Amino acid sequence: MPKKERKRLQVVISEEQDALLTRTAYELSSPERLISKSEVVRLAIEKIARELGEGEHLDEYRALLDDDPGDEEG
């Protein structure tokens, strides 16, 4: 059975954001299962999309994006 094809996305993040990813992955991990930073990113994408679909936190997310000095594309 062929492997499920996944898209790859490369983004530039700050050292602070990388530290947050690392800390979150560590906190979600257990002795039985280590959680990767990629899994944390996928979880965050799903959570944000679900919340926006339900009309939650829209203004809050926009404010966070407006305040992000590292956003080079926006």
Side-chain angles (χ1 to χ4, degrees), residues 16-64:
E16 180 183 354
Q17 290 167 328
D18 185 59
L20 286 170
L21 271 176
T22 301
R23 186 179 77 210
T24 303
Y26 178 79
E27 289 176 5
L28 289 172
S29 293
S30 68
E32 298 81 30
R33 185 168 189 298
L34 294 177
I35 304 298
S36 70
K37 290 191 282 187
S38 293
E39 289 174 297
V40 173
V41 171
R42 287 192 294 270
L43 176 65
I45 290 168
E46 289 177 22
K47 180 175 173 42
I48 291 169
R50 191 174 313 114
E51 288 177 354
L52 291 178
E54 296 169 359
E56 296 179 25
H57 307 289
L58 183 59
D59 292 333
E60 193 176 322
Y61 286 129
R62 284 181 177 154
L64 286 170

